[in-house]
Every structure is written in C-alpha cells, then in structure tokens.
Amino acid sequence: MIALADAGFRAVSFDYRGYGLSDPPPPGNKATWFDLLNDLLHILDALALSKVFLVGKDFGARPAHFFSILHPERVLGVVTLGVPYVPPGPSLYHKFLPEGFYILRWKEPGRAEGDFGRFDVKTVVRNIYILFSRNEIPIANENQEIMDLVEPDTPLPAWFTEEDLATYAALYENSGLQTALQIPYRSFGEVFNLPDPVVRVPALLIMGGKDYILKFPGIEDLTKVEKAKELVPNLEVTFIPEGTHFVQEQFPQQVNQLILDFLAKHI
C-alpha cells in the first residue's frame, strides 16, 4: 500500500467481515462470498471510487475475480497473488486428495476448532505460516491433526518476524477464527450464478515458483497463459522462482514493482 501511495495511487484496504478489526456477523449468521462482494461494492460507493484496480491474495483472489465479472464497469484490472482464477463449480478435492488434506479437514465443522483449541492463537498463526511457506501440500495422517504437522521448535521463515507474528496473532485474538474457517473453507459449495464465467478485464497473476498450491489438481494448468486464455483472455503471469505462498512477504520490492508496472499499463 505504501509503495502504491508513493507512486501516486490511492491504496485502500479493508478487513472482511469477521477478520481483523471488522465486526463478525451476528450469531447464527454465517458470512458468505456474496457478503464480501456486496461489501466491496458498498465500500467503493462510500468512497466515491468509480473504477479501481483490485489486488487479492490467496482466497482474496476469488472475490476480486468475481467482482470484476459482476461489475466490470468498476474494475480497471485485477492482480492476484498465489491463486489463479478458478471458475465457480463444485469442489472436487475429495476426489483427488486424501481425507487428511487440510482444506477437507477444516471444512468439517468442529474439526479445526478441536485442533486449534489445543493451542493459543499465536501458535496457530505461527504453524499456519510455517506450513503454508513449504512447497508440500499440508496433509495429515489419519490419526493426526493439521497442527501436528509442525514441530514446536520449528523456526519461523526468515522473512517473517516475531513482530509480524505478534501483530497478526493480536488481530485473530480480536476476531477469533470462526469467520476464517467459514470463508473460505466452509463456503466452497456456495452457488454463483455468474452471467459469464470469463474474467475479461486485464489480469496479472503473481506466483511463487515453490508455492505448494501449484500441486493442487488442475491448478498448474490455470497458471499457464496459453491454457488459461479461455477463462482470462487478458492474463499476464509472472513466477518468482524462489517464492512460496507468501511471495509478497518474501519479495516485497519485486512484487510491488510488478504491480506498479501492471497498473501503469492499464491506467
């Protein structure tokens, strides 16, 4: 955000419902993907922003892409990090990956709560950063939980400081983890009646070459421009060879420059 502001752009970020400092949904009301899309629309209206570039990381890629389909007149371009455009449809993970796959585990009501509940929030966030910065998909054995995949003495990645961890942990201590489990893990089955499943605005995908997500079934094909053109005709893809799933935290200057170059081409 600082790099964009220094380059003359207005950079706006917000906490999704139930994340960070935003209020969680009322008890009994579960957040949905469409809530996020509607929130984004109302935020743009409230700030009187007629057209914007959207930048989404990980599960933020889905609302960024879908918003550009539903409201193309409001979007100049989309930048996503770590996740390519995946058109809406039923989740097929259960057909290709074992039951210990972390998304299948966290999709199951109560499973992650029991797993996470054995630790303080700071330890949960620490373990997730360690797990997701590896280049292997987190998969637990039958009698093992996802948190058990990280030994207690495992160091943080070199680019992630104890100060970073304390900041993120404090936010999750405020918000809790319930919405983070609901969106995205327990909402992959949400139905989207998009008028057109194609992302037609200019798009940039930034991937780490060692991102574990590339090992998800079908994902690598969606990162190849020649194969993704049917779904994202104006797609550019850049790989940062040593990057993991947190490529923007590992290589902030490089990622900032890629985003600025993309914005300059499509402003």
Side-chain angles (χ1 to χ4, degrees), residues 91-243:
S91 173
L92 300 176
Y93 292 138
H94 63 285
K95 291 188 175 182
F96 300 104
L97 292 162
E99 67 83 27
F101 174 48
Y102 77 99
I103 288 180
L104 296 179
R105 286 286 183 88
W106 293 352
K107 180 181 178 182
E108 181 184 335
R111 187 69 182 254
E113 289 87 338
D115 184 7
F116 297 170
R118 299 176 295 151
F119 307 95
D120 58 31
V121 171
K122 189 175 182 180
T123 301
V124 173
V125 177
R126 171 191 285 269
N127 288 353
I128 288 172
Y129 256 84
I130 291 169
L131 277 176
F132 287 6
S133 64
R134 295 172 176 170
N135 65 354
E136 296 297 330
I137 299 175
I139 297 175
N141 295 323
E142 186 176 349
N143 297 315
Q144 185 184 41
E145 298 299 331
I146 298 299
M147 291 290 102
D148 299 329
L149 294 172
V150 180
E151 294 295 332
D153 60 351
T154 305
L156 287 170
W159 40 265
F160 191 65
T161 67
E162 288 288 345
E163 185 180 1
D164 296 332
L165 175 61
T167 299
Y168 288 162
L171 290 169
Y172 278 108
E173 284 167 0
N174 172 72
S175 67
L177 294 162
Q178 200 55 49
T179 301
L181 290 169
Q182 179 63 29
I183 302 284
Y185 299 104
R186 295 173 184 169
S187 300
F188 281 119
E190 191 174 329
V191 176
F192 295 90
N193 294 313
L194 298 179
D196 177 8
V198 176
V199 174
R200 300 195 181 279
V201 301
L204 170 65
L205 170 63
I206 302 171
M207 292 292 302
K210 296 183 177 180
D211 194 328
Y212 74 93
I213 278 184
L214 292 168
K215 296 182 178 178
F216 280 28
I219 289 295
E220 190 172 5
D221 283 347
L222 296 176
T223 68
K224 296 175 180 175
V225 172
E226 63 274 14
K227 293 199 174 184
K229 271 189 174 178
E230 291 181 13
L231 296 170
V232 192
N234 298 307
L235 176 66
E236 300 174 40
V237 181
T238 296
F239 277 86
I240 297 178
E242 295 302 309

Side-chain angles (χ1 to χ4, degrees), residues 17-122:
R17 299 181 187 197
Y19 276 83
L21 298 176
S22 286
D23 292 333
N29 288 7
K30 294 179 179 178
T32 68
W33 291 103
F34 271 107
D35 288 334
L36 305 186
L37 295 169
N38 288 331
D39 289 348
L40 177 53
L41 179 62
H42 290 304
I43 287 168
L44 296 186
D45 288 344
L47 296 175
L49 298 172
S50 59
K51 297 195 84 166
V52 296
F53 290 97
L54 298 175
V55 181
K57 160 69 187 158
D58 190 82
F59 90 82
R62 173 170 268 206
H65 285 134
F66 286 6
F67 188 89
S68 78
I69 292 172
L70 292 168
H71 305 284
E73 74 287 352
R74 306 295 294 270
V75 181
L76 291 163
V78 173
V79 180
T80 60
L81 298 99
V83 174
Y85 173 58
V86 180
S91 173
L92 300 176
Y93 292 138
H94 63 285
K95 291 188 175 182
F96 300 104
L97 292 162
E99 67 83 27
F101 174 48
Y102 77 99
I103 288 180
L104 296 179
R105 286 286 183 88
W106 293 352
K107 180 181 178 182
E108 181 184 335
R111 187 69 182 254
E113 289 87 338
D115 184 7
F116 297 170
R118 299 176 295 151
F119 307 95
D120 58 31
V121 171
K122 189 175 182 180

